[in-house]
Amino acid sequence: MLRCVACGKEYSSKKSRQICRCGEPLEVEHIPGKIASGGTVWKRFRDFFPQEMKETDLRDLHTLSEGETPTIKVDELSEIYDVDLYLKNETVNPTWSFKDRGTVTSLIHASRLGAKTIGTVSTGNMASSVAAYGNRLGSKTVVLVPEDISDRKLEQIAAYDPLILKVAGDYGDLFYESLELSADDPEIYFSNSNSPYRIEGYKTLAFEIIEESSPDFVIIPTSSGGLFRGVMKGLIELKKSGILDKIPTPVSVQAAGCSPIVRAYQGGKKKIERWSEPGTEAGAIANPLPPGGNEVLRKLDEHDGLCTKVSDEEIMDAQNKIASEGIFCQPASAVGVAALKDLRENGSIEKGSEVITIITGSGLKNLRGKFDRQRVKHIDISELKEWYEEES
Ligand SMILES: *Cc1c(COP(=O)(O)O)cnc(C)c1O
Ligand SMILES: [Zn+2]
């Protein structure tokens, strides 16, 4: 059973409807459970998945071993911010972002509904993820992208050989149009951001976080709101299962150049409004009209959460700081660390708190082919010894 998070209207999970008639997201009911020991995420956390997923043979999952990502304690950054800081390194997923966790669960839903064609509306990590798993599943896979997308952005997606359809028109509307298409025709299933079965997969992130740390704050880079919703649903289910005493304070962070959720939050509004001209290096989190935005606001309200934005300058600085701990992430993934300075200075996060932030995707996704050439020194092979002696 799926239920609208806003008006409570119920829908059958045997249909592929993902958005309520009122426009707000649908969600699978809360499922308390027990964590089993050993095995993949799908085995250990199986109890928490909806019935139709439990009935799916684990061998049919077409998993590529998503999840099971490292939780890294970072001492130098902890010292800078005077907190106990952990990074949840999602860059090591099969297509190098956390999206894979949700792609698996949404494609199980698609298969059970008998979909022959899998689609997605994305230009980035979700497109790569859906294309990869769609290809592995042997389904016809279609990725809808805007007319003006750069070839560079298509490179990873194209490697998995989907049909790439450039669509002229409003890209924000395309999200809703594609879902209408799949609500009417079970043969085609759109695995878009923020869809209920994607959220089920993202829950595993919350489970892993609680297995490996006891955070006071969980910082979540936010675009459509799907990741935020998934982590919250996972935490709430752990609490309902008696595994977690207290839900950590959720912190939603956006890039200042596209921050419709932060704007609504700071203005005390209950509804987000479209951001007119997104402009940020953190393209992976630049959704101007997040479909899960109002639900993020409700969850922040219910759980006394925090919501803040960071500039591109702060993002780039944080990306370097994260690299200084050995992890190369994309700009969108650095917003959690970027937000720490202000959150500490204004007292939102107290000294000594345990904090975890999700490093959502790999820096290799955003290579721009330009870097500071001053970093490179040229020598002749005969000068190697001399160079070393000078250095030491
Ligand atoms: C998708 C994505 C996010 C945000 O996820 P939403 O579910 O859209 O809020 C954050 N970082 C990266 C790298 C992403 O690809
Ligand atoms: Zn509704």
Side-chain angles (χ1 to χ4, degrees):
M1 183 68 74
L2 296 172
R3 189 175 287 118
C4 171
V5 294
C7 76
K9 189 172 163 54
E10 293 183 344
Y11 294 83
S12 162
S13 57
K14 299 205 168 57
K15 297 257 170 63
S16 69
R17 180 163 275 284
Q18 303 181 18
I19 290 189
C20 181
R21 286 196 179 80
C22 80
E24 289 293 300
L26 302 183
E27 188 171 272
V28 176
E29 63 215 307
H30 289 150
I31 314 167
K34 278 199 200 75
I35 297 179
S37 59
T40 65
V41 288
W42 310 119
K43 231 179 184 161
R44 276 210 320 289
F45 308 132
R46 190 183 181 90
D47 225 16
F48 294 89
F49 294 120
Q51 193 54 32
E52 56 271 31
M53 269 195 66
K54 288 193 188 115
E55 287 166 8
T56 302
D57 191 329
L58 284 172
R59 279 166 307 198
D60 287 342
L61 266 177
H62 295 272
T63 165
L64 292 164
S65 287
E66 33 312 298
E68 310 288 337
T69 60
T71 301
I72 314 279
K73 173 91 193 291
V74 284
D75 292 334
E76 269 181 43
L77 293 186
S78 293
E79 212 163 284
I80 294 176
Y81 299 110
D82 227 339
V83 292
D84 278 336
L85 182 64
Y86 291 83
L87 306 181
K88 181 69 173 155
N89 184 9
E90 290 293 303
T91 72
V92 298
N93 273 294
T95 72
W96 304 287
S97 86
F98 74 92
K99 294 288 196 302
D100 296 336
R101 296 177 185 262
T103 299
V104 171
T105 43
S106 71
L107 294 199
I108 290 173
H109 189 221
S111 306
R112 290 195 58 101
L113 297 177
K116 305 268 185 313
T117 303
I118 306 293
T120 191
V121 177
S122 164
T123 59
N125 291 333
M126 196 163 50
S128 299
S129 182
V130 171
Y133 285 82
N135 201 0
R136 178 165 166 78
L137 206 61
S139 297
K140 204 160 144 194
T141 307
V142 54
V143 179
L144 308 186
V145 298
E147 190 92 84
D148 57 358
I149 192 171
S150 72
D151 286 352
R152 193 173 45 76
K153 275 199 144 183
L154 292 177
E155 235 175 289
Q156 188 197 354
I157 303 169
Y160 304 113
D161 203 26
L163 172 64
I164 298 174
L165 212 56
K166 284 193 174 178
V167 188
D170 187 284
Y171 199 62
D173 291 344
L174 192 57
F175 174 89
Y176 293 97
E177 296 280 332
S178 67
L179 291 180
E180 283 303 318
L181 189 65
S182 73
D184 290 341
D185 180 359
E187 301 260 308
I188 181 161
Y189 185 101
F190 272 85
S191 174
N192 289 352
S193 65
N194 199 48
S195 73
Y197 284 84
R198 189 163 272 289
I199 304 300
E200 291 305 298
Y202 294 168
K203 287 188 331 194
T204 58
L205 241 168
F207 301 158
E208 286 181 25
I209 285 173
I210 296 307
E211 276 185 321
E212 297 192 5
S213 60
S214 336
D216 302 303
F217 296 87
V218 179
I219 309 185
I220 307 161
T222 308
S223 184
S224 76
L227 175 62
F228 185 93
R229 291 182 53 214
V231 170
M232 287 312 292
K233 188 164 191 277
L235 293 173
I236 291 166
E237 290 178 1
L238 289 177
K239 173 114 194 294
K240 288 194 169 171
S241 311
I243 295 169
L244 184 65
D245 289 338
K246 186 178 172 295
I247 293 179
T249 303
V251 186
S252 167
V253 185
Q254 299 201 285
C258 184
S259 44
I261 300 176
V262 183
R263 183 173 61 188
Y265 174 89
Q266 289 177 344
K269 303 236 168 67
K270 291 201 173 350
K271 284 210 151 63
I272 55 149
E273 280 168 40
R274 184 189 291 267
W275 193 267
S276 52
E277 278 175 32
T280 171
E281 289 285 334
I285 53 167
N287 188 326
L289 190 63
N294 299 336
E295 174 61 3
V296 172
L297 291 172
R298 281 187 289 270
K299 282 283 176 289
L300 286 170
D301 189 38
E302 280 165 35
H303 296 275
D304 283 327
L306 302 167
C307 185
T308 190
K309 62 186 178 192
V310 287
S311 69
D312 274 16
E313 206 183 330
E314 290 170 311
I315 290 173
M316 293 306 160
D317 175 64
Q319 191 186 23
N320 292 336
K321 284 199 167 83
I322 295 165
S324 78
E325 297 280 5
I327 298 171
F328 180 35
C329 70
Q330 61 188 113
S333 309
V335 296
V337 169
L340 273 174
K341 184 166 176 283
D342 278 358
L343 291 170
R344 282 283 299 112
E345 277 174 11
N346 67 24
S348 301
I349 295 183
E350 297 109 61
K351 170 182 169 149
S353 304
E354 186 168 321
V355 180
I356 187 161
T357 181
I358 303 167
I359 305 298
T360 46
S362 165
L364 293 175
K365 301 256 189 182
N366 284 63
L367 295 179
R368 281 182 297 268
K370 44 181 182 192
F371 72 105
D372 179 10
R373 292 203 160 68
Q374 306 294 327
R375 289 170 166 274
V376 184
K377 200 173 163 177
H378 296 263
I379 60 162
D380 188 78
I381 189 168
S382 59
E383 298 165 340
L384 192 59
K385 196 158 181 237
E386 205 176 305
W387 161 79
Y388 179 68
E389 278 161 7
E390 259 172 44
E391 281 290 301
S392 47

